[in-house]
Amino acid sequence: MPSEPPTPRRPRLRPPRPPQRWRDAGHRLAGRRGPRFARRHLLPWAGVLLVTGAGAGVGFALAPGASTYVGPLQTEVRVRPSLTPGVEVDLPPVGKVTFDTHRAPIVVTAGIESVDVDAAARLVRSPQQLLALELTAADTVRAATVRAAAHSLACGFGGALLAAVVVFRGRRRTLQTGASLLVVVLAAGAGTWATFDPAALRQPRFTGLLSRAPYLVSSTQDALERLESYRSGLSDIVRSVSTLYAAAANLPVLGGGPGAGLGPDVVTVLHVSDLHLNPLGYDLTDNLVEQFGVQAVVDTGDTTTLGSQAEAGFLGRIGSLDVPYLWVRGNHDSADTQAQVAAQGAVVLDQGSTAQVAGLVFAGQGDPVFTPDGEGQQATGSAEDVQEAANEVLREGVERWRAAHPDDPVDVALVHDPSGLDPLLGRVPLVLAGHLHKRSVTLDASGTRIMVEGTTGGAGITSAGLDRLADGEPLPLSATLLYFGPGAAPGDPARLLAYDEVTVGGLGLAEVNLQRTVLTDEDRPALTVPAPATPSTGTGTGTGAPTTSAAGG
């Protein structure tokens, strides 16, 4: 049979091919994906942004500020990028004021360069000048801010473009660098404008000696009304600072003639005591250490209130100080508190131990009793005997040091409770104490000076401190700056040249007072150890003649 012819195949349908230009575009798009796209486009732009940031950062850092006079204060205003935006006013030595005015990464800072003390004194005395200051201060600061911003922008763009020319050596990348910075600046400016809150200017945050002043000067309606005006708030700040500088200008100087300075051999020690968990006490300490060049801090105890483990977090501020911190235990501080203070790097003195810090020799004794419910009363009777026994241990420590170092005697003895000090009289030139929440300075006939600090924490978290606060009469924060010079002769203890008593008016911190006392040679009599009293013979009592101490002079 004849074979059947094969069945013809049906042709396959092919999709229509896109035009050649579409295919070419697809190939180009595919070539941009993956590492090749990153190398050709992302990395170059990352380099542009890196160079822009580095160059502009250097430019902003080197940008000069804008100087202007705000009343008697010559200030310098700067505008620069920052991760902590806002407005900062640095007012040495009284602290810093910050305002959370916006969210964009730009900070405006103003610092005092110099003070016309005569003009400050006139401003404080003249209501007319205070009114003029209130009318002009805001406009003056605003104009200086605009000038400072212009300086920063010019230096920032100059730094970025210069960095681009050095790195890329080409016009294209240099223009891209300038464009990138322009976009960032416009975005930051728009963010500042959009998030700016004028009401924040009436909500300042104070640190240092200023703390919350002058906005908590009083609770009167007049004071509250003044807070509604930024102009009056700014003039209040300037007036407060002018008052402080005018008062400070009248402090006596250390040395023989006008303008005499401290000198290279003078050691500055800050004495604090009885912080009682008040963080403002550490704010005050931080500020005084920074502004007065303090070389050592002495804390005579009652740093806590109950001596509990829960209070340990408060002691972390000790480790943040950049100077040696000497500490003795108070009656509100437990043995655990003492261990925690030592863990912060402080020099803990107890059982008559000694330490040589900043060229001075300190000896210390912790309080022999732990009475966290006490309120700083003067010890009497058997309580005073307990303190005197503890001071006998301290005396032995002083004598051990003197025997081992005959040419370098103990300069300062540290205790908490100033009771029962007879064993120390005539053996050390200076005893520092606290406990009583009231400042006092006494020069004993033996030549030993006893300086009792008030309360650097305003009695803090104690029943007495809280009662005074509730009554509207809080205890002031107090601290003392001590200035020591070399001994009059080799082998003599260091001489206390002067001391500044710093007082900040209560927890409202509405007033700052600094009073200086300069000592003369007549104020530093030779040390003499009192002779023990002779037993009564039935016809009277008598004492032998005093003997000169080995610590001498």
Side-chain angles (χ1 to χ4, degrees):
M1 292 181 62
S3 61
E4 294 182 2
T7 303
R9 293 183 177 180
R10 299 178 62 181
R12 288 187 300 173
L13 298 178
R14 297 178 180 274
R17 298 186 59 164
Q20 183 64 39
R21 65 177 181 275
W22 291 12
R23 284 180 284 164
D24 293 342
H27 292 318
R28 290 195 299 270
L29 181 60
R32 292 179 180 178
R33 297 175 180 171
R36 183 180 177 188
F37 178 74
R39 288 194 303 270
R40 294 186 58 186
H41 298 279
L42 294 183
L43 290 180
W45 272 107
V48 168
L49 294 178
L50 180 61
V51 171
T52 301
V58 173
F60 286 131
L62 298 178
S67 293
T68 188
Y69 270 96
V70 184
L73 312 179
Q74 184 180 8
T75 63
E76 184 179 56
V77 181
R78 292 179 179 270
V79 179
R80 66 182 190 278
S82 174
L83 296 178
T84 56
V87 176
E88 298 180 356
V89 182
D90 190 17
L91 305 172
V94 292
K96 180 183 293 185
V97 191
T98 58
F99 303 87
D100 294 328
T101 54
H102 55 274
R103 297 288 178 240
I106 296 176
V107 63
V108 180
T109 62
I112 294 179
E113 291 185 312
S114 62
V115 181
D116 186 337
V117 177
D118 293 336
R122 292 194 298 270
L123 172 68
V124 173
R125 294 192 300 264
S126 172
Q128 292 81 8
Q129 291 194 30
L130 287 173
L131 177 60
L133 173 66
E134 181 172 332
L135 295 175
T136 61
D139 294 335
T140 301
V141 172
R142 187 180 299 110
T145 303
V146 171
R147 295 199 308 272
H151 294 167
S152 293
L153 287 175
C155 292
F157 272 99
L161 295 178
L162 180 60
V165 169
V166 172
V167 174
F168 299 124
R169 301 180 182 274
R171 179 181 300 178
R172 179 185 174 191
R173 296 299 186 196
T174 301
L175 293 178
Q176 289 176 341
T177 299
S180 301
L181 182 58
L182 180 61
V183 170
V184 173
V185 168
L186 292 177
T192 303
W193 180 269
T195 61
F196 184 77
D197 181 14
L201 294 171
R202 298 194 296 269
Q203 300 173 1
R205 289 184 290 110
F206 291 84
T207 58
L209 299 185
L210 278 177
S211 186
R212 301 188 182 101
Y215 288 84
L216 295 183
V217 171
S218 68
S219 58
T220 63
Q221 186 63 31
D222 178 66
L224 295 177
E225 290 175 353
R226 285 182 61 78
L227 298 185
E228 296 302 318
S229 169
Y230 162 61
R231 290 177 178 272
S232 64
L234 179 60
S235 66
D236 283 345
I237 293 174
V238 175
R239 178 178 58 182
S240 298
V241 176
S242 299
T243 302
L244 180 65
Y245 278 106
N250 295 322
L251 293 176
V253 296
L254 301 184
L262 295 179
D265 297 329
V266 174
V267 176
T268 304
V269 175
L270 174 64
H271 180 204
V272 300
S273 189
D274 296 79
L275 276 81
H276 285 295
L277 299 178
N278 188 353
L280 294 179
Y282 276 132
D283 290 342
L284 174 61
T285 301
D286 287 340
N287 190 272
L288 293 175
V289 167
E290 179 180 357
Q291 300 296 340
F292 288 88
V294 170
Q295 292 154 276
V297 176
V298 169
D299 185 342
T300 49
D302 274 5
T303 310
T304 60
T305 296
L306 300 176
S308 65
Q309 182 66 35
E311 298 167 290
F314 175 72
L315 305 174
R317 296 286 296 273
I318 294 175
S320 65
L321 293 172
D322 294 330
V323 296
Y325 196 96
L326 297 102
W327 185 86
V328 293
R329 186 181 63 253
N331 63 293
H332 283 257
D333 303 316
S334 64
D336 287 341
T337 303
Q338 180 163 308
Q340 293 156 4
V341 170
Q344 293 296 327
V347 179
V348 175
L349 299 178
D350 195 15
Q351 298 298 315
S353 60
T354 53
Q356 195 164 20
V357 176
L360 302 174
V361 179
F362 297 86
Q365 171 67 43
D367 199 299
V369 298
F370 177 54
T371 53
D373 55 344
E375 290 299 341
Q377 301 296 323
Q378 186 78 38
T380 58
S382 60
E384 185 175 9
D385 293 339
V386 172
Q387 297 292 335
E388 186 168 351
N391 291 327
E392 282 285 355
V393 176
L394 179 54
R395 177 189 62 80
E396 293 172 0
V398 170
E399 293 180 348
R400 283 196 304 270
W401 173 271
R402 183 58 188 258
H405 308 82
D407 295 330
D408 194 11
V410 170
D411 300 303
V412 185
L414 309 180
V415 298
H416 176 67
D417 189 333
S419 306
L421 294 179
D422 286 353
L424 302 176
L425 299 180
R427 291 180 170 85
V428 291
L430 179 63
V431 176
L432 300 181
H435 183 63
L436 301 181
H437 301 173
K438 183 178 181 180
R439 176 188 280 144
S440 66
V441 179
T442 304
L443 179 61
D444 187 75
S446 64
T448 296
R449 191 179 307 273
I450 304 164
M451 301 185 71
V452 180
E453 192 53 78
T455 164
T456 310
I461 311 301
T462 62
S463 58
L466 295 177
D467 287 344
R468 290 284 299 269
L469 179 62
D471 293 339
E473 298 180 355
L475 289 169
L477 313 186
S478 64
T480 301
L481 293 154
L482 307 166
Y483 303 100
F484 293 91
D492 285 350
R495 295 178 299 160
L496 180 63
L497 303 178
Y499 55 92
D500 293 339
E501 295 176 324
V502 181
T503 306
V504 184
L507 294 179
L509 301 187
E511 298 177 355
V512 179
N513 180 57
L514 188 149
Q515 180 177 349
R516 172 167 294 176
T517 301
V518 178
L519 304 179
T520 64
D521 290 339
E522 289 74 16
D523 298 319
R524 293 185 293 270
L527 292 176
T528 55
V529 178
T534 55
S536 174
T537 61
T539 59
T541 60
T543 59
T547 59
T548 302
S549 166

